Amino acid sequence: FVDFFAALIFLCAIATALLVGICFHEFSHAFAADRLWDRLPRRMGRLTLNPLRHLDPAGTMLMVLVGFGWGKPVPVNPNNPKNPKAALAITAAAGPLSNFVVAALAGLAIRLEAVPYISPFNEAAFLFLSRGGWTLEEYVGLYLSTVTLFSVLLGVFNLLPIAPLDGFKVAVGLLPAVLSRPFARLERYGMLILLGGLFLLPLLTAGRLSLFLIMEPVIKALISLFAGVDQEVFT
């Protein structure tokens, strides 16, 4: 017997985390730039929470089809603020930090023990697909757990110092000039490095190593911080 309602809640939670995460993420980039006197995002209509201003057609389609997507990058003028390097780091970091805000809000009820934490990546918890009789608290717990987990995953993934992810610009902005200039030249190879980490690294190590396994300790620590639980993330 499959609890289709639980499965539907799980899918809705992923959609919530991705849609809210991407739109709030891009808005936060625009908001941070605007606070730093860069008016380009405001002029381009990106200083809004309207999803239509932030969703990319191709990224949205892939998000629906495979559960992974992206939004339209927020245009910024890095030469406008008084300290361009600091502004670059702050504006780039604002996006991932917004994902952590969403995770903290979604995880609050779990931290307060109002609902249980039910991770869809946990092998035991994944039995929600093969049993019925769930309580309302378990359904809500599954929804909030999934939103929390995917929001943290989005934030940590985007902080990786690999172009075109936000973490690359954060690193360029924080590193001293003698290091940031040569590091910035790696941007042209960023997509190759990212794809290699996502697909080639697991292949070469027979699945023993991947970007997600590298991120797992950080994700686990943030889940513990936001939801007050200590569980393995992908097992």
Side-chain angles (χ1 to χ4, degrees), residues 12 16 21-22 74-76 85 90 105 121 132 144 197 220 232 235:
C12 289
T16 300
I22 288 174
V74 173
V76 296
K85 283 180 90 281
I90 294 171
L105 292 175
F121 290 130
L144 294 177
K220 181 179 178 182
E232 296 301 321
T235 58

Side-chain angles (χ1 to χ4, degrees), residues 80-184:
N80 187 59
K82 295 180 180 179
N83 189 334
K85 283 180 90 281
L88 177 67
I90 294 171
T91 302
L97 290 178
S98 73
N99 296 125
F100 298 147
V101 170
V102 174
L105 292 175
L108 184 59
I110 302 170
R111 170 167 277 283
L112 295 176
E113 299 183 353
V115 296
Y117 179 77
I118 303 175
S119 170
F121 290 130
N122 184 286
E123 185 176 351
F126 202 72
L127 291 176
F128 78 87
L129 288 175
S130 60
R131 74 175 181 88
W134 275 45
T135 65
L136 176 61
E137 288 77 13
E138 287 175 318
Y139 284 129
V140 175
L142 172 63
Y143 179 83
L144 294 177
S145 300
T146 305
V147 172
T148 302
L149 179 55
F150 273 81
S151 297
V152 168
L153 184 58
L154 282 171
V156 174
F157 180 73
N158 272 287
L159 279 177
L160 291 175
I162 306 171
L165 303 177
D166 295 320
F168 182 81
K169 293 180 180 178
V170 173
V172 171
L174 292 180
L175 288 172
V178 67
L179 296 176
S180 66
R181 290 193 186 100
F183 185 76

Side-chain angles (χ1 to χ4, degrees), residues 209-226:
L209 188 62
S210 69
L211 282 182
F212 292 103
L213 289 177
I214 293 172
M215 294 188 298
E216 185 171 10
V218 179
I219 295 172
K220 181 179 178 182
L222 290 173
I223 292 294
S224 177
L225 174 65
F226 297 141

